[in-house]
Amino acid sequence: MNWRGLARKDFRDAIRSRSVLALAAGFLVLYLAIGYAGVELVGAEFDGVVSLVGLATAFLVPVVSLGVGYKSIVGARSSGTIALALALPHSRLDLTVGTFLGRAGVVTLPLVAGLAGAAVVASLFTGPPAMAYLSVTVVTVLYGLAFLGIGVGLSLSVSTTRRATVGAFAGYVVLVTLYDSLIEAIVLILFRFEATALVGLPDWARLLQHLGPTQAYSYAISELYPVALAEEFTTTTPPDWLSVPVAVLVLSGWVAVSLAVGYRRFRRAEL
């Protein structure tokens, strides 16, 4: 595979984009502010910083990741530059892998820098964070990559930037803000609007709830630090088998499945 050169080129092209740079810079500044605000608004313990970081991440990282990824392939298709890339000894799989990895650098660098900056600022008031914060950073990066995979997969699947824009917006609304409620609505429909069905959701509904990327992320953070982040996104008790490693596998699955589905459509598309 010749994806390495494509990854480097895509990373360079992405960081030259003013919109992407503004997004990353704003993201970094926000985390630095959260490091201070977490102490002042939530409490004098580092747990307060993690709680605020996790809540902000759950809503804002998908915006950044989808914004970086949703036009990555379809934009090149619309401008015609994709023909030049594929005219060189590169396959469509090379282009898919290289694009994702290049954009992954764009998402990961400001995210890690922001989380590190938040920890440094907060530690001036609370003392150094526990080692669990390193795990929080890893899970947060993986959460960003999950939505990047969704964005790139979407970009691979559609043929116009308008469809990519609509798909990215819909993906954010469904997966971040409405996911839990949509599953409850499905249960109500299947049980003919019996309110008692929501009191004890069936096992398959609880499973689906905790397979959402935001739900898996919030669960992992709540397990790593004593914060009630998971309660913000799901009101059901997690299954007994759910653990931080399983949540990590769920987030990794969103990356793999999104790219696989997108690549399958892209492989068969006429460019």
Side-chain angles (χ1 to χ4, degrees), residues 69-135:
Y70 83 106
K71 285 187 179 180
S72 55
I73 299 294
V74 73
R77 288 178 65 176
S78 299
S79 65
T81 56
I82 195 171
L84 178 61
L86 293 177
L88 299 172
H90 300 135
S91 67
R92 298 192 186 194
L93 182 58
D94 292 334
L95 185 61
T96 300
V97 174
T99 297
F100 174 76
L101 293 179
R103 301 290 167 126
V106 177
V107 170
T108 300
L109 289 179
L111 189 52
V112 171
L115 289 168
V120 171
V121 171
S123 65
L124 298 176
F125 305 93
T126 65
M131 283 300 295
Y133 190 73
L134 181 60
S135 299

Side-chain angles (χ1 to χ4, degrees), residues 6-15 17 19-20 64-76 95-110 144-145 148-149 151-152 155:
L6 288 170
R8 288 192 294 268
K9 179 181 182 302
D10 195 80
F11 178 78
R12 290 194 299 267
D13 291 345
I15 61 176
S17 170
S19 59
V20 171
V64 175
S65 295
L66 288 172
V68 170
Y70 83 106
K71 285 187 179 180
S72 55
I73 299 294
V74 73
L95 185 61
T96 300
V97 174
T99 297
F100 174 76
L101 293 179
R103 301 290 167 126
V106 177
V107 170
T108 300
L109 289 179
L145 295 182
L148 177 65
V152 174
S155 192

Side-chain angles (χ1 to χ4, degrees), residues 11 19 44 46 57 98 102 127 141-142 150 153 159-160 166 172 192 222-223 226 232 234 242 259 262 269:
F11 178 78
S19 59
F46 201 83
T57 296
V141 169
L142 186 55
I150 294 170
S159 57
T160 65
V166 173
Y172 178 86
R192 300 181 181 180
S222 297
E223 288 293 307
E232 297 287 336
T234 180
L242 188 61
L259 291 178

